[in-house]
């Protein structure tokens, strides 16, 4: 005699603690990505004008991007 499994094949049963751990992991990853982006934008503030031109951005656009990050 076998027990009938009613869980869909593409879904596994997760414990609430596992969901919390995954949520914390996603939050940490998002925080790290945001910090890396913020650091990159701030480092571009001190880049020479010709480097920004090579990238196709102006200092005003860079400042605007930084300001939108803080909102």
């Amino acid at each position: 005699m076998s027990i009938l499994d009613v869980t869909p094949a593409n879904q596994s049963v997760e414990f609430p603690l596992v969901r919390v751990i995954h949520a914390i992991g996603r939050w940490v990853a998002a925080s790290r990505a945001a910090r890396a982006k913020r650091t990159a934008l701030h480092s571009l503030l001190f880049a020479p004008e010709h480097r920004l031109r090579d990238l196709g951005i102006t200092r005003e656009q860079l400042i605007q991007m930084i300001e939108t990050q803080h909102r």
Side-chain angles (χ1 to χ4, degrees), residues 15-56:
F15 295 103
L17 181 61
V18 173
R19 282 189 231 134
V20 171
I21 291 170
H22 285 283
I24 292 170
R26 286 190 300 273
W27 177 79
V28 168
S31 296
R32 286 182 180 174
R35 182 166 192 238
K37 184 176 183 179
R38 199 169 42 251
T39 302
L41 289 175
H42 282 277
S43 69
L44 283 174
L45 274 177
F46 302 104
E49 198 66 38
H50 69 278
R51 300 255 188 221
L52 294 176
R53 246 190 339 264
D54 288 345
L55 294 171

